[in-house]
Every structure is written in structure tokens, then in C-alpha cells.
Amino acid sequence: MFSQIRNIAIIAHVDHGKTTLIDSIFRQSGIFRTNEKIEERLLDSGDLEKERGITILAKPTSIIWKQTKINIIDTPGHADFGGEVERVLCMADGVILLTDASEGPMPQTKFVLGKALSQGLKPIVIINKIDKKDSRANEVLDEVFDLFLSLDATDEQLDFPILYASGKDGWCVKDMKEEKKNLSPLLDLIIESVPEPHSNINEPFTMLTTLLDSDPFLGRCLTGKVESGTAKVNDSVKAINLQGDIIENGRLTKLLTFEGNKRVPVSEVKAGDIICIAGLTKCSVSDTISHLPINKPIKSTPIDPPTMSITITVNSSPFAGQEGKKVTSNIIRERLIAESETNVAITFKENEKKDSFEIGGRGELQLGVLIETMRREGFELSVSRPRVLIREENSIKYEPVEEVTIDLDEEFSSSVINSMNKRKAEMIEMKTSNSAKTRIIFKAPSRGLIGYQSKFLTETKGTGVLNRVFQSYEMFKGGIQEKKSGSLISTETGSAVAYAIFNLQDRGIMYIEPQTKVYSGMIVGEHNKENDLEINVLKGKQLTNVRASGSDKAVILVPPLKMSLEEMISNINEDELLEVTPLNLRLRKKYLDSNERKRMKKN
């Protein structure tokens, strides 16, 4: 058993080693049997999280260390999932800031650290991956301190403890001269420096709902920290929204706490615990669950609004309904409403006919993860080009501006700076390290960054790294002249032929290969020029009665360009759609008929 509680969140940039560090903490804290098989990155439990190697959903877990229960919250590192970070930090009383010993603080580090400092949390700084060949721990530590200063950290927050660690190998030290044994220094430091939860066990039970998910056996599961009092299974409770209105009355049918990667049923919970509740059907994120006498809601941190939106409609292509089972607008609508209820960083709007839905989010990655999740659930849908959400105040237009950090080889810097200037970006800083690597920081309107990722990789020959994070809304920067290639559009419906693709591949980059099913109006490639070009990829070789020698030469095809879901979303033009099915992603024109496209262009 435990006598004390500590609640701590781990924050870091993508791929700086949060989840791997938690794996090592699990192994050394004794929550597994010695013969138990343990997966890597245990808390990245979703299929998409495992495939992409990133944390998408925040997840609580806990260990027992020296009679103290340490609740650890693993948070996403990407700013697109910042809504998750903003919510879960209210459950923590301290944070561990993890920074790569080579890369140093990155844009997402700045984003999540800013949220933690603004809530008054005191951090523990860990310089991770210290065993890398290009480690530069002292420089990184200086950069972290400068970052704290730029985020207006208090004197108490600036006096942060520092550890040097290798999360993968499972050790950390306060000084590099010390023996590198285990993670005991970190766990001891958490107990010493993180305060106990500020809570009163003698008051009535209250809890702020922070996370919402669904369980096939328990139904809706609400996760949060118990702010005051105690609660037992079958207690009568009510849910109050931020305005103090009662949403519902109910009973606590199940109480669960977190151990390792499991939820464990308990009969009673007390102030300071991070718990999961089942039994309420209407309560949502930011609502307060309490005993019946309480009428005052717990304050909740406001979530940053979405900066980008896409329009989702039913799949209207000739191949609609062939691959997915969930194809009607009603089913798509229900799924999107359910997503907007559980994910507060996503907004949902619909038109009067309720057959077109506008989904707002933080960026292409967040919207892409939602679409990818839906297609795996059997949905078919059409997705429009992303557009940024413009605000208007006193007849003045404001648009979202992002901080863009680019790491690249020095030789590519001029072409990248030129491209960013065309996108109305403003350079803030440029510095070159000893290894001829250059870091350039820009302030750029989100509009100009849509579709830039693939061009950026071409400009840097695949070696550059681009990170972006929302900064603020600023005055509209004016029109952006973007030179965009046209599309190669199929004129026929059927299976593509190798001979036709061979004769047409000089016209541009192909997206398809032989035997790919295409339809009239489907985009099969990218044109070399700015105009669209209609082509027939079904045209086979005309056979004659007499075959001349050498006429049957082998057809040599250039491999087609394969794009990810996010790349496809950012490459859609205004008059195009992305057709999403469980088996395929296809780009298409909004109007499939050639004559209709010409008519709409004139209008």
C-alpha cells in the first residue's frame, strides 16, 4: 500500500523519448512479473500510435515507489494534439520536461512547456539520449534555460533540478561522473520536489472531468483528478457544467484507478487520486462530477481554438459503397459528433441539409488522424482542401500565424528562405552549428504552409526537418502567389494499362500503376504545367496482323508517387476532393464530368 501521492506529467517534443522512459520506469518499479512479456512503448497502445511511433492520446498510469504512489501522465508531443496536453496538465502537480541531448528544445517543447509554466507547475528537466554521438548537453541546457526565460518563468520555476539520462538504457544521473545504474535518482527526485496534491479529504467529493473515452464493457469512461473528498461505488453524484447547470444525476457504477497499462477496479477513491468513473451518460470534458450538495463547478483551463478546417461529405464517386460499410451521411454525422464530444480540440458544424460537415482542428496531422481512424472503422467519405479559419474584428481580418523551425544542411538554406518569403513568412533567427547544420526560425501564415511539406523535402533532398507550432492570430498578410502544378485527369473508367501510362509519363508524375481501377474525373497524376490535362490511361496498344521485329519492346515505367493521407490532404486544390475508403485513397475533381467542370470555371 501507499501513504502519499504524487501526480506528474511528462512533456516533450515528438520522438524525444517520453514513452520509452516510462517503459524503463515500469520495468524498474516492479509492476511486472519477471517472466512477463513486455511490449515496447507500452503506453502507445493504439494502432496508429504504434505505426507512427508518436503519442496521440494522453494516458495516465501509476507506479508505487517507497510507499508513494506516483501517477504519471504521458502526453502527446505534437502541437496538433495540444488540446490533450492543455487538459491533462490540470491533473498534475509537477512536470518532467524531456529534451533530446542533440536536438535541444524544439517548437513543440516550447508549446507544451509554455502551457505547463502558465499553470504554475514546477518542472524537472531531463536531458535525454545523453549517450548519442552528437550529444551537446551543456549547450542544450543553456537553450532550455533561455527558453524558460522567454516564457516568463518565475524564479522558483527557473530553479529547476537537472538530470542526465538514457531512457532506452534505463539510467539517469545528477552528474555525468556518477555511476550510471538505474532511474532511482529520478523517482526519488519526484517524491522530493513535486508537491502533494492540494486537496481536502474532509469536504464533499468533487472531480473535474479531463479525458473521455468509451469502453465496450463499461460504456462512457470519464477520467480526472479527485479535487476533494472521498467517493465509493454506488454513491449518488451529479454532473455540473462550467455555468453551474446540472447536466445529469447518476450513480458511480464503477471506480477504477490506473496501474501500469491497466485500469484496476477499486471500492473507494480519495482526494488526489487520478481515477476513471463509469455510470454517467451525458457528462463530458470540463464538467464537474460531485456529491449532491455541491453547486459550484471547478474552473477549467480554456482550450486554444482550432486554426484549420476541412469539409467532410459522403463519398459520391462511381466506386462508392464498394469497399466500406458506413457510407451514409447520418452515420458519418453521428461519428463526427461523437468525436467532437470526446476531443475538445475538434469542432463540428453542419449545413442545413445535414449532409456536409465542417470539422475544425489544429493542423493536417490531427485532421489526418481522425480521417485515418474513421477509414479503419469502415467509413467512406469525401474530404475537401483544408482552409485556415480567418477571424474578423472591427472589419479587420486576422489569420493564424505559426512559428516554423527548420533544420537543414547549409547548402539548401537559400532555396528554402526564397520559398518561405513567397509564402509571406518572416525570418526571426538563423544560426549555423559546427556540423554545417543550419536552424532557421520563421513566422509564417498557416495559409502559406498548406502543401509546403512535400516541396520542402524536394528542396532539401529529403534531409531537412520542418516543425511548426501555432503562435497567434495576426493581421491578414494579403494574397499569396502560389505556383501550383495542374492535375492529370482520367477521361475513362476501367483498369489502367501499362502501355498507356508509359506513353503519358512524360506529361508529369503518375500516382497510379498498371491495373489500378480509375474512373472519369479521377486524378491519376500531377501535370508538369500549371493547367489540368485530361488523359486516357486505358488506351492499349493497337495490334496488327503482321508483327514487325522489335515492335514489342519492354515497357519501362517510372515508379508512381505514393503519398500519405496528410500529404494528400495538403495537396488538394480548391476544385478537388480526397476520396477516402477503407482500402484506397483517391484524389478526384469535385465535378467528375468534363463539361460541368468547364461550365463551373466560366461561372
Side-chain angles (χ1 to χ4, degrees), residues 542-583:
Q542 296 298 314
L543 298 176
T544 58
N545 290 334
V546 181
R547 288 190 172 186
S549 63
S551 62
D552 288 338
K553 289 179 183 174
V555 172
I556 300 169
L557 297 179
V558 176
L561 174 65
K562 297 290 183 185
M563 291 188 284
S564 68
L565 177 59
E566 286 82 29
E567 287 172 332
M568 282 189 160
I569 289 172
S570 59
N571 272 307
I572 307 171
N573 286 328
E574 288 294 340
D575 63 337
E576 297 171 357
L577 294 172
L578 171 62
E579 177 191 348
V580 179
T581 73
L583 301 180

Coordinates of all heavy atoms in Angstrom, one line a residue, residues 542-583:
Q542 N -2.4 -0.8 -80.3 CA -3.2 -1.3 -81.4 C -2.4 -2.4 -82.0 O -1.3 -2.3 -82.5 CB -3.4 -0.1 -82.4 CG -4.2 1.0 -81.9 CD -5.6 0.6 -81.5 OE1 -6.3 -0.1 -82.3 NE2 -6.1 1.0 -80.4
L543 N -3.0 -3.6 -82.1 CA -2.4 -4.8 -82.7 C -2.6 -4.9 -84.2 O -3.7 -4.5 -84.6 CB -2.9 -6.0 -82.0 CG -2.6 -6.1 -80.5 CD1 -3.2 -7.4 -79.9 CD2 -1.1 -6.1 -80.2
T544 N -1.7 -5.3 -84.9 CA -1.8 -5.6 -86.4 C -1.7 -7.0 -86.7 O -1.2 -7.8 -85.8 CB -0.8 -4.8 -87.2 OG1 0.5 -5.2 -86.7 CG2 -0.9 -3.3 -86.9
N545 N -2.0 -7.4 -87.9 CA -1.9 -8.9 -88.3 C -0.4 -9.3 -88.4 O -0.1 -10.4 -88.2 CB -2.6 -9.1 -89.6 CG -4.1 -9.0 -89.5 OD1 -4.6 -9.2 -88.4 ND2 -4.8 -8.7 -90.5
V546 N 0.4 -8.3 -88.8 CA 1.8 -8.6 -89.0 C 2.6 -7.9 -88.0 O 2.5 -6.7 -87.7 CB 2.3 -8.1 -90.4 CG1 3.7 -8.5 -90.6 CG2 1.4 -8.7 -91.5
R547 N 3.4 -8.6 -87.3 CA 4.3 -8.0 -86.2 C 5.7 -7.7 -86.8 O 6.3 -8.7 -87.2 CB 4.4 -8.9 -85.0 CG 3.1 -9.0 -84.2 CD 3.3 -9.7 -82.9 NE 2.1 -9.6 -82.1 CZ 2.1 -10.0 -80.8 NH1 3.1 -10.6 -80.3 NH2 1.0 -9.9 -80.1
A548 N 6.1 -6.5 -86.7 CA 7.5 -6.2 -87.1 C 8.4 -6.6 -86.0 O 8.1 -6.5 -84.9 CB 7.6 -4.7 -87.4
S549 N 9.7 -7.0 -86.4 CA 10.7 -7.3 -85.4 C 11.0 -6.1 -84.6 O 11.2 -5.0 -85.1 CB 11.9 -7.9 -86.1 OG 12.5 -6.9 -86.9
G550 N 11.1 -6.3 -83.3 CA 11.5 -5.2 -82.4 C 10.3 -4.3 -82.0 O 10.5 -3.4 -81.3
S551 N 9.1 -4.6 -82.5 CA 8.0 -3.8 -82.1 C 7.5 -4.0 -80.7 O 6.8 -3.1 -80.1 CB 6.8 -4.0 -83.1 OG 6.3 -5.3 -83.0
D552 N 7.7 -5.2 -80.1 CA 7.3 -5.5 -78.8 C 8.4 -5.3 -77.8 O 8.9 -6.2 -77.1 CB 6.8 -6.9 -78.7 CG 5.5 -7.1 -79.4 OD1 4.8 -6.1 -79.5 OD2 5.2 -8.3 -79.8
K553 N 8.8 -4.0 -77.6 CA 9.9 -3.7 -76.7 C 9.3 -3.7 -75.3 O 8.1 -3.4 -75.1 CB 10.5 -2.3 -77.0 CG 11.3 -2.3 -78.2 CD 11.8 -0.9 -78.4 CE 12.6 -0.8 -79.7 NZ 13.0 0.5 -80.1
A554 N 10.1 -4.0 -74.3 CA 9.6 -4.0 -72.9 C 9.3 -2.6 -72.5 O 10.0 -1.6 -72.8 CB 10.7 -4.5 -72.0
V555 N 8.1 -2.4 -71.8 CA 7.7 -1.1 -71.3 C 8.3 -0.8 -70.0 O 8.2 -1.6 -69.0 CB 6.1 -1.1 -71.2 CG1 5.7 0.2 -70.5 CG2 5.5 -1.2 -72.5
I556 N 9.1 0.3 -69.9 CA 9.7 0.6 -68.6 C 9.0 1.8 -68.0 O 8.9 2.9 -68.6 CB 11.2 1.0 -68.9 CG1 11.9 -0.2 -69.5 CG2 11.9 1.4 -67.6 CD1 13.3 0.1 -70.0
L557 N 8.5 1.6 -66.8 CA 7.7 2.6 -66.1 C 8.4 3.2 -64.9 O 9.1 2.5 -64.2 CB 6.3 2.0 -65.6 CG 5.4 1.4 -66.6 CD1 4.2 0.8 -65.9 CD2 5.0 2.5 -67.6
V558 N 8.2 4.5 -64.8 CA 8.8 5.2 -63.6 C 7.8 4.9 -62.4 O 6.6 4.9 -62.6 CB 8.8 6.7 -63.8 CG1 9.2 7.5 -62.6 CG2 9.6 7.1 -65.0
P559 N 8.4 4.5 -61.3 CA 7.5 4.1 -60.1 C 6.6 5.3 -59.8 O 7.0 6.5 -59.8 CB 8.5 3.9 -59.0 CG 9.8 3.6 -59.6 CD 9.8 4.3 -60.9
P560 N 5.3 5.0 -59.5 CA 4.4 6.1 -59.2 C 4.7 6.7 -57.8 O 5.3 6.1 -56.9 CB 3.0 5.3 -59.1 CG 3.4 3.9 -58.8 CD 4.7 3.6 -59.4
L561 N 4.2 8.0 -57.7 CA 4.4 8.7 -56.4 C 3.3 8.3 -55.4 O 2.1 8.3 -55.7 CB 4.2 10.2 -56.7 CG 4.3 11.1 -55.4 CD1 5.6 11.1 -54.7 CD2 3.9 12.6 -55.8
K562 N 3.7 7.7 -54.3 CA 2.8 7.3 -53.2 C 2.8 8.3 -52.1 O 3.9 8.6 -51.5 CB 3.2 5.9 -52.7 CG 3.2 4.8 -53.7 CD 1.8 4.4 -54.1 CE 1.8 3.2 -55.1 NZ 0.5 3.0 -55.6
M563 N 1.7 8.9 -51.8 CA 1.6 9.9 -50.8 C 0.8 9.4 -49.6 O -0.1 8.6 -49.7 CB 0.8 11.1 -51.3 CG 1.6 11.9 -52.4 SD 0.8 13.5 -52.8 CE -0.5 12.9 -53.9
S564 N 1.2 9.9 -48.4 CA 0.4 9.6 -47.2 C -0.9 10.4 -47.2 O -1.1 11.3 -48.0 CB 1.3 10.0 -45.9 OG 1.4 11.4 -45.9
L565 N -1.7 10.0 -46.2 CA -3.0 10.7 -46.1 C -2.9 12.2 -45.9 O -3.5 13.0 -46.5 CB -3.8 10.1 -44.9 CG -5.2 10.7 -44.6 CD1 -6.1 10.6 -45.8 CD2 -5.8 10.0 -43.4
E566 N -1.9 12.6 -45.0 CA -1.7 14.0 -44.7 C -1.2 14.7 -45.9 O -1.6 15.9 -46.2 CB -0.8 14.2 -43.5 CG -1.3 13.9 -42.2 CD -1.3 12.4 -41.8 OE1 -0.4 11.7 -42.3 OE2 -2.2 11.9 -41.1
E567 N -0.3 14.1 -46.7 CA 0.3 14.7 -47.9 C -0.8 14.9 -48.9 O -0.9 16.0 -49.6 CB 1.4 13.8 -48.5 CG 2.7 13.9 -47.7 CD 3.7 12.9 -48.2 OE1 3.3 11.8 -48.7 OE2 4.9 13.1 -48.0
M568 N -1.7 13.9 -49.0 CA -2.8 14.1 -50.0 C -3.8 15.2 -49.6 O -4.2 16.0 -50.4 CB -3.6 12.8 -50.1 CG -3.0 11.7 -50.9 SD -4.1 10.3 -51.1 CE -3.3 9.5 -52.6
I569 N -4.1 15.3 -48.3 CA -5.0 16.4 -47.8 C -4.4 17.7 -48.1 O -5.1 18.6 -48.6 CB -5.2 16.3 -46.3 CG1 -6.0 15.1 -45.9 CG2 -5.8 17.5 -45.7 CD1 -6.2 14.8 -44.4
S570 N -3.1 17.9 -47.9 CA -2.4 19.2 -48.2 C -2.2 19.5 -49.6 O -1.9 20.6 -50.0 CB -1.1 19.3 -47.4 OG -0.2 18.3 -47.8
N571 N -2.3 18.5 -50.5 CA -2.1 18.7 -52.0 C -3.4 18.8 -52.7 O -3.4 19.0 -54.0 CB -1.4 17.5 -52.6 CG 0.1 17.7 -52.5 OD1 0.7 18.7 -52.9 ND2 0.8 16.7 -51.9
I572 N -4.6 18.9 -52.1 CA -5.8 19.0 -52.8 C -6.0 20.5 -53.2 O -5.7 21.4 -52.4 CB -7.0 18.7 -51.8 CG1 -6.9 17.3 -51.2 CG2 -8.3 18.8 -52.6 CD1 -7.9 17.0 -50.1
N573 N -6.4 20.7 -54.4 CA -6.8 22.1 -54.9 C -8.2 22.4 -54.5 O -9.0 21.6 -54.1 CB -6.6 22.2 -56.4 CG -5.1 22.2 -56.8 OD1 -4.3 22.7 -56.1 ND2 -4.8 21.6 -58.0
E574 N -8.6 23.7 -54.7 CA -9.9 24.1 -54.4 C -11.0 23.4 -55.1 O -12.1 23.2 -54.5 CB -10.1 25.6 -54.7 CG -9.3 26.5 -53.8 CD -9.8 26.5 -52.3 OE1 -10.9 26.1 -52.1 OE2 -9.0 26.9 -51.4
D575 N -10.8 22.9 -56.3 CA -11.9 22.3 -57.1 C -11.7 20.7 -57.0 O -12.2 20.0 -57.9 CB -11.8 22.7 -58.5 CG -10.5 22.4 -59.2 OD1 -9.5 22.2 -58.5 OD2 -10.5 22.3 -60.5
E576 N -11.0 20.2 -56.0 CA -10.8 18.8 -55.9 C -11.2 18.3 -54.5 O -11.4 19.0 -53.6 CB -9.2 18.5 -56.1 CG -8.8 18.9 -57.5 CD -7.2 18.8 -57.6 OE1 -6.5 18.6 -56.6 OE2 -6.8 19.1 -58.7
L577 N -11.3 16.9 -54.5 CA -11.7 16.2 -53.2 C -10.8 15.0 -53.0 O -10.2 14.6 -54.0 CB -13.1 15.8 -53.3 CG -14.2 16.8 -53.3 CD1 -15.6 16.1 -53.6 CD2 -14.3 17.6 -52.0
L578 N -10.7 14.6 -51.8 CA -10.0 13.3 -51.5 C -11.0 12.3 -51.2 O -11.8 12.5 -50.2 CB -9.0 13.5 -50.3 CG -8.4 12.2 -49.8 CD1 -7.5 11.5 -50.8 CD2 -7.5 12.5 -48.5
E579 N -11.1 11.2 -51.9 CA -12.0 10.1 -51.7 C -11.3 9.1 -50.7 O -10.2 8.6 -51.0 CB -12.4 9.4 -53.0 CG -13.3 8.2 -52.8 CD -13.4 7.4 -54.1 OE1 -13.0 7.9 -55.1 OE2 -14.0 6.3 -54.0
V580 N -11.9 8.9 -49.6 CA -11.3 8.0 -48.5 C -12.2 6.8 -48.4 O -13.4 6.9 -48.1 CB -11.2 8.8 -47.2 CG1 -10.7 7.9 -46.1 CG2 -10.4 10.0 -47.3
T581 N -11.6 5.6 -48.6 CA -12.3 4.4 -48.3 C -11.4 3.5 -47.5 O -10.2 3.8 -47.3 CB -12.7 3.6 -49.6 OG1 -11.5 3.1 -50.2 CG2 -13.3 4.6 -50.7
P582 N -11.9 2.4 -46.9 CA -11.1 1.5 -46.0 C -9.9 1.0 -46.8 O -8.8 0.7 -46.2 CB -12.0 0.4 -45.6 CG -13.4 1.0 -45.6 CD -13.3 2.0 -46.8
L583 N -9.9 0.8 -48.1 CA -8.9 0.2 -48.9 C -8.0 1.2 -49.7 O -6.9 0.9 -50.0 CB -9.4 -0.9 -49.8 CG -10.2 -2.0 -49.1 CD1 -10.7 -3.0 -50.1 CD2 -9.3 -2.7 -48.1

